[in-house]
Each structure stands twice: as structure tokens, then as C-alpha cells.
Amino acid sequence: MKKTAEVVIIGGGISGLSIAYNLASRGMRDVVVLEKSYLFSGSTGRCGAGVRQQWGTEMNCALGKATCEIFENLNEILDFEDDIEFKQGGYLMMAITEKEVEQFKKNIELQHSMGIPSIMLTPREALDIVPELNIEGILACTFCHKDGHANPFKTMQAYAEAARRHGAEIYTYTEVTGIDVEENRIKGVHTNNGYISTEKIVIAAGAWSRQVGMLAGCEVPVRPERHQILVTEPVNPILGPMLMSFAGNIYLQQEPGGEFIMGFGPAEHETFNISSTWDFVETMCKKATRYLPYMKNVRIVRQWAGLYEMSPDAQPILGKAEEVEGVYLATGFSGHGFMFGPITGQLMAEYILGFPTTLPIDKLDVGRFKRGELIFEPSVV
Amino acid sequence: MTKSKTIICRCEDVTLEEIEAVIEKGYTSMDEIKRITRCGMGQCQGRTCRTLLLAELARATKTHPNDIKVTTYRPPVKNVKMSVILGGMEDEENS
Ligand SMILES: Cc1cc2nc3c(=O)[nH]c(=O)nc-3n(C[C@H](O)[C@H](O)[C@H](O)COP(=O)(O)OP(=O)(O)OC[C@H]3O[C@@H](n4cnc5c(N)ncnc54)[C@H](O)[C@@H]3O)c2cc1C
């Protein structure tokens, strides 16, 4: 392992890898990523990997649009010999309450003002897109054909390999166990495989970010929340877009290989527990067959769980820590960190190198919680 | 038989050649190889290929199979139709 680095990125998920690639490709030398386990062990390797522009705040719309544009060209940008399998089948958002219909109208207006090509549909019109949809109880839908999903493993692999080609080092099974701070500045990082001296660290440790922050004496308000998910056997393609209902609390999509992936967001206690439960499967089957009765005959192959890295307002935390010089934060994505990964890497690299950022990130700083300037996003599962 | 025709994972059509290529690239844990190649992610959930992959990895990395971490066994044990699960629930609509 290297003895010194210009920057040590803690966490080898999509955020850490994307930051590493963006720093190294902009010429930063000695970029190191430390991952305590195997490369896909964090939330990124457990996620639904949906990517959308249909959001309810200006911030998320801007991030969503920019990140989508990167995904569209990511194979070429990263010179990836394989394929990240970005499929733009759209997201079909289903409103089942009047309140949601009102919110959707506002969202569409906002999205249009930002150049996002979303449309409002009647349930009957939605049938043209998803003929198998049971529209009973659905009041209205919105659809954006630019939304979609990618293969999270391949996306991570693409970033990891591109980062390495630009000189970054990625050490797996290397856990940060201590962080040295002197006179309020970062001095170095202790791991189970040795010590690296550095003046800059990036906390991109997903649901573990608070614990890593504490090693440096920085408060990073992120808590872990378990979310479960399952995958079915592959069947013929019947579902183009991702189906999503906020009030119905469900997301469901069909992969390019034919498997369905689905989950919902139960209110859970703060936990690092990622075991799967039977309860989840039962409720999931009810929800899935309610929207797609067709699912009755489809077999479940595997279930698993991962952690959302929740921030107090469910928005990303990007920027600097306040307590110690040299501590950068890229966390708190609250269940949307996969899609934001590409733009996170770009913005954080620009920020760390002192360039103007492509999109303003000052409102996403950790200080907003103390100032009481929380950002409220109405459209989340 | 050539390596490009030796199938390690039947559900996902993963060949020995592909496994060797990712090991060569530095992915030397079962967990990483599973996720990159889909070896063991198919319908049988790695019933055959888990041991084949373990053996290949042990050989390639000169490690004793006992010292290699095996991927997690995940529920359900057998593929199960949603209707079977719903049928077991006390819900008139679905019975
Ligand atoms: C079931 C589920 C479905 C999801 N669906 C979607 C979706 O459809 N779309 C979407 O955009 N997002 C989705 N997400 C959220 C998404 O997975 C996360 O927001 C995203 O992966 C976060 O990436 P990350 O790189 O910040 O964190 P992670 O991928 O969690 O990476 C952080 C890494 O840091 C490592 N680490 C922690 N502590 C240390 C330490 N001390 N030393 C070294 N390394 C350490 C961890 O091992 C981990 O690998 C979903 C999440 C779950 C659980």
C-alpha cells in the first residue's frame, strides 16, 4: 500500500469510485480509494439502480438531468470495453391520491421549466406504455422517457477500471480504523493494512459515513436504514418503464435480461442489519400483483437488503466538513446515490480541485442542518 | 474441450474463459466475480457453479478452498411463484 496520497477517498461505492475517476482524470496524482470489504459490498452493489429526472425540487431535477446525460455517454467517457447496460425505458409515476395529482402537476411544471421532457398521462394513456398495468385506483400518471436504469456492478466496474487507468489506487479489504488530525488539519489515515499520510480525505462511506466522520471528530448526520429488494426469474419483456408510486410505496422494473426487480420503503428503525425477511416478500407480492396482475405467475429467485444512507432532509450532503480542514463529504444520498454517482463525482472533483462547479452545490453543504435550511423533496419512495 | 466452451454457470451462460478473464483483471473474490459475470445469479442460485467457481478461484489464486469466502446463500431456497406466496395469505382477493 502507498505511504502517502494527495487524497484518500474512504468508501469504494459508486460515489467514491466516481470521485476517484474524476479527480484522477483531471490530473490529480496519488488518488487512493479505501474499501473495507469487497468492491460491491456497500449499498451500490445492492441497489435497484434506477435513474430519473422526474423530481419535485429544482436541485434534484438539475442533478437528475445532468447525471442522466452522463449515463447516456458513460461507456464512451470511461472507455469501458463492456456495457453499463443503461436502458432508458422511462419511469411511469402513478398518482393514487388527489394530493399526489396536484403534486404531479407542480412537478411537471417545474420539470418543464428545466427542460425535462416529462408528460402527464391519464391512466388509459398509460396503458399504451404498459398494457399489463391494472389502472384501477390510479388517478393520473407522469412519464419521462429519458429516465431508466443501469447495471450497478458494471457501472462501478467501469469507474474503478477507468480510475485505475488514470493512476488511482483502489485498495479493497482495507478498513479505515483511525484518522489523525493535528491543529484542525487532516494528517493521515490508519487502516488494518497500514498508515497513509494525506492532507485530504473524502468521506464517501455511504451508511457508515457518520462513524467514519467521528474518527476525524466531524459530525456527519447520516443514519443507516435497511431497505429490502427482490429479483424474479427472467421472463419475456412486458414492462418498458420503471413503475413507481409514492403513496402506494413501490418501485418495480424489468431488467434488460428479463428479470423483475422490485422493492418498497418501509419505515424502519436505524439499523446496520441487512438480513432479509419473509414479511417483505409477502407485502411485496401483494403490491406487485396489485399493479401488474401478470406477476402472479412469475417466480421469485432471490431477495436481499441494503442500507439507505439517510440525511435529515433526505438530500445529499456535498462539500466540506466544518470542524476540520481537509475533510470533504459526499454522502447522505438517502436512497438515490446510485443515480447521482456520476454527477457527484464530477462536482466533488471540481470542488476539491478548486474549480467552479458545473452545478451549484453550496445549498447541499452540511451546515444547512444547523442553519435550518433543509431542502424538502416531495417525490420519494 | 476449449475453455470458451466449458460452461461454469449454466443459468447465466458463463464460461471458464470469462471467469479466468476477470480473475486475471484482479477480481479475486467470489463476491466480485458473481456480480461482474452473474455466475450464480441465475435461477438455480449457484447450485452447481458455486463449487466450480470456488475450485477455479482456489486454483487460480493458489489458495485453499477453505480460505475463500463463499457468497451468501439468499432466500428463497427454491424459486417460488408469487401466487403461491399470496395463496398462503389470508386475503380473499388473492385466494
Ligand atoms: C434496496 C435498495 C435500492 C436502491 N435503489 C436505488 C435506485 O433505484 N436508484 C438510486 O439511485 N439509488 C438506489 N439506492 C441507493 C443507493 O444504493 C445508494 O444511495 C448508493 O449506492 C450510495 O453509494 P455510495 O458510494 O455513497 O455508498 P456505498 O455504495 O454504500 O459505498 C460506501 C462504501 O464505504 C465502505 N466503508 C464504510 N466504512 C468504511 C471504512 N471505515 N473504511 C473503508 N471503507 C468503508 C463500505 O464498505 C461501502 O462499500 C438503493 C439502495 C438500496 C439499499
Side-chain angles (χ1 to χ4, degrees):
Chain A
M1 200 167 74
K2 280 196 174 174
K3 297 266 175 287
T4 62
E6 208 172 328
V7 62
V8 171
I9 298 166
I10 305 170
I14 185 83
S15 308
L17 296 174
S18 169
I19 295 167
Y21 161 75
N22 277 282
L23 283 171
S25 67
R26 283 171 175 72
M28 192 185 241
R29 285 159 177 264
D30 296 324
V31 175
V32 165
V33 179
L34 302 179
E35 167 53 50
K36 68 175 171 165
S37 183
Y38 59 92
L39 206 57
F40 312 99
S41 60
S43 303
T44 312
R46 300 166 178 279
C47 79
V51 177
R52 63 168 152 131
Q53 310 191 5
Q54 292 188 76
W55 288 98
T57 64
E58 196 177 322
M59 175 69 74
N60 283 336
C61 285
L63 291 172
K65 185 160 185 274
T67 211
C68 218
E69 283 161 10
I70 302 176
F71 270 109
E72 285 172 0
N73 301 301
L74 202 53
N75 285 327
E76 293 76 38
I77 295 171
L78 299 179
D79 215 353
F80 190 40
E81 57 190 31
D82 202 337
D83 181 8
I84 64 154
E85 295 166 18
F86 185 48
K87 169 185 150 191
Q88 284 171 295
Y91 265 49
L92 187 71
M93 307 284 200
M94 305 173 290
I96 57 171
T97 66
E98 286 298 342
K99 205 173 143 220
E100 268 187 308
V101 178
E102 288 316 304
Q103 183 64 49
F104 277 20
K105 285 183 190 155
K106 282 191 207 141
N107 290 358
I108 289 273
E109 207 172 298
L110 170 71
Q111 288 156 11
H112 286 180
S113 76
M114 306 198 57
I116 295 170
S118 50
I119 48 172
M120 195 99 185
L121 298 172
T122 65
R124 292 223 154 272
E125 288 167 333
L127 284 176
D128 292 338
I129 300 170
V130 184
E132 302 283 345
L133 185 68
N134 171 18
I135 56 172
E136 206 185 307
I138 299 175
L139 303 176
C141 296
T142 64
F143 181 74
C144 173
H145 71 274
K146 288 275 188 184
D147 298 346
H149 54 83
N151 178 324
F153 312 118
K154 297 281 185 187
T155 308
M156 281 181 75
Q157 185 191 356
Y159 271 113
E161 289 173 5
R164 284 197 178 110
R165 273 199 311 277
H166 282 94
E169 301 272 350
I170 301 165
Y171 300 110
T172 54
Y173 299 100
T174 306
E175 177 168 6
V176 173
T177 52
I179 297 171
D180 283 354
V181 177
E182 260 175 46
E183 290 172 7
N184 263 3
R185 285 173 181 278
I186 291 293
K187 283 285 160 205
V189 169
H190 296 270
T191 78
N192 55 325
N193 288 326
Y195 182 78
I196 306 183
S197 66
T198 184
E199 289 180 357
K200 290 190 180 78
I201 63 167
V202 182
I203 301 181
W208 300 266
S209 296
R210 178 149 195 257
Q211 281 65 22
V212 173
M214 271 157 36
L215 297 176
C218 298
E219 169 59 16
V220 184
V222 168
R223 61 186 174 80
E225 187 179 272
R226 175 178 64 175
H227 281 248
Q228 301 193 53
I229 180 163
L230 64 78
V231 64
T232 70
E233 62 183 335
V235 294
N236 285 337
I238 63 148
L239 181 64
M242 167 88 89
L243 288 185
M244 187 170 261
S245 164
F246 303 119
N249 191 5
I250 180 177
Y251 65 88
L252 194 164
Q253 81 200 33
Q254 190 171 21
E255 300 287 295
E259 306 90 353
F260 288 90
I261 288 206
M262 62 194 80
F264 61 94
E268 290 234 35
H269 300 298
E270 179 166 336
T271 178
F272 280 109
N273 169 14
I274 51 165
S275 50
S276 336
T277 67
W278 177 252
D279 266 9
F280 168 76
V281 178
E282 278 192 352
T283 308
M284 191 72 249
C285 289
K286 262 197 195 170
K287 284 175 180 283
T289 52
R290 179 241 176 279
Y291 292 102
L292 276 190
Y294 170 94
M295 295 299 307
K296 278 202 299 273
N297 296 316
V298 180
R299 290 177 180 80
I300 298 168
V301 168
R302 178 171 66 247
Q303 66 172 129
W304 69 96
L307 300 170
Y308 275 24
E309 56 296 303
M310 299 303 297
S311 76
D313 61 359
Q315 296 288 300
I317 302 171
L318 301 182
K320 272 183 189 162
E322 295 189 320
E323 297 91 336
V324 177
E325 191 63 36
V327 179
Y328 296 87
L329 307 174
T331 183
F333 302 100
S334 309
H336 308 104
F338 175 72
M339 67 180 89
F340 290 152
I343 190 68
T344 294
Q346 184 181 330
L347 295 171
M348 286 304 293
E350 291 165 344
Y351 183 71
I352 292 168
L353 293 168
F355 299 143
T357 54
T358 307
L359 293 171
I361 59 166
D362 48 306
K363 289 202 172 90
L364 293 171
D365 73 330
V366 68
R368 74 178 182 271
F369 305 113
K370 278 198 202 123
R371 297 193 306 270
E373 293 167 6
L374 279 63
I375 307 166
F376 175 69
E377 168 60 61
S379 303
V380 284
V381 171
Chain B
M1 204 155 64
T2 62
K3 285 176 179 172
S4 62
K5 290 202 178 117
T6 309
I7 304 286
I8 297 284
C9 172
R10 289 183 291 194
C11 304
E12 297 286 337
D13 256 343
V14 185
T15 64
L16 179 56
E17 192 177 36
E18 288 170 88
I19 298 288
E20 287 184 346
V22 293
I23 295 176
E24 182 71 21
K25 274 194 163 177
Y27 299 100
T28 51
S29 69
M30 279 186 79
D31 275 304
E32 287 169 344
I33 296 172
K34 166 184 163 185
R35 286 162 179 79
I36 289 181
T37 64
R38 296 194 59 82
C39 180
M41 278 188 161
Q43 264 166 290
C44 91
Q45 286 291 284
R47 226 155 247 123
T48 315
C49 66
R50 202 187 299 257
T51 31
L52 293 177
L53 175 58
L54 182 63
E56 268 321 303
L57 196 54
R59 201 179 51 76
T61 59
K62 301 195 172 58
T63 313
H64 193 278
N66 281 358
D67 297 328
I68 293 177
K69 188 190 160 282
V70 174
T71 45
T72 312
Y73 289 81
R74 301 197 189 278
V77 173
K78 275 181 77 172
N79 294 189
V80 47
K81 269 193 188 175
M82 287 207 174
S83 58
V84 173
I85 290 168
L86 293 168
M89 289 165 45
E90 286 171 36
D91 185 337
E92 302 242 302
E93 265 176 69
N94 296 306
S95 56

